[in-house]
Amino acid sequence: FLADDIEVIVVNDAGQSLPEAAWHDSKRVRLLNTQRRERSVARNAGAAVATGRYLWFLDDDDWILPGALDNFRALSSRAGNAAWLYGGIRVIDEVGEVLGEVNSPLNGNCFAQILGGAWVPIQASIVRSDIFFDVGGYNPLICGTEDLDLCKRIAGKGTFANTSATVACLFRGGTWETSTDYLRAAEDVRWSRDQILEEPDSFKRIRASLGNDPNAHFWFGRVVRVFLSTISFNLRRKRFFSTASRFSFTIATVVLAGWRVFSKDFWRGVKAEHVPDSLHFISQAYEQRTMRSED
């Protein structure tokens, strides 16, 4: 049963009517039809009619765990000013096997960490609605990595708060299907990252987020990698002023890192394709187990 202060908005973007179900008659549920406008538009439409302080975005193959709402209420009471509140996510396959759990314990200003690839899954997060609209909601030009883009833009303006509780489940496995074009998704990530770095004071916020991080060696390396990727991104587009700007910030990051550039963690951050404790490694481990079982 849902608490009295929770509303449910179901956005159907399938382009056809949903099968009849008992919940259609619930006064607590509002159904919107967006007629195949893609995920960002559908989610923005749902957010536009929501009336609550927080927004929680779930797809039809995600679900929340018992006690999740209580955990978020407790977290909100401790960190009411945070723009993004989140907990752990459990990844489950079609037979109910737990493939892994992830919960990156990030709090406060974690702009550099989010830019650097730290995974804060939208399915295990609630977002303050005023901040969501302040950054413009989901970008309709991005399809497939729109949640990562939103997370980065909000990290550039607000703070994060974490609960150690696992609050939601994410479905993956052999029968999982997605409409995401991963070839386009990689380019969307690069474009999104470059747009965010164009924002005034972005480097100042990056520097502040690295200040007290116990893993600063690694994250300085990740920031260098981010700037290096935007250098190549802008060079390919012959945007030479932006290229020069990104190069100068790369040098500035190395200078700020100081003696950390001689550490293994710094170079691990520069070289790594993915950050530890991300969905990539859970999916990779699942694929390897599947291949071994087939052999």
Side-chain angles (χ1 to χ4, degrees), residues 57-88:
F57 297 96
L58 297 165
D59 291 332
D60 57 1
D61 55 359
D62 308 319
W63 63 98
I64 65 176
L65 290 170
L69 295 176
D70 290 335
N71 281 304
F72 274 133
R73 284 194 181 91
L75 183 59
S76 177
S77 68
R78 300 195 305 270
N81 291 327
W84 187 295
L85 284 65
Y86 77 102

Side-chain angles (χ1 to χ4, degrees), residues 88-122:
I89 190 113
R90 182 176 298 156
V91 185
I92 295 181
D93 69 5
E94 61 271 19
V95 297
E97 180 182 352
V98 177
L99 305 182
E101 290 194 7
V102 173
N103 192 351
S104 305
L106 299 175
N107 289 280
N109 173 9
C110 45
F111 187 39
Q113 294 80 356
I114 299 295
L115 274 179
W119 187 40
V120 180
I122 189 71

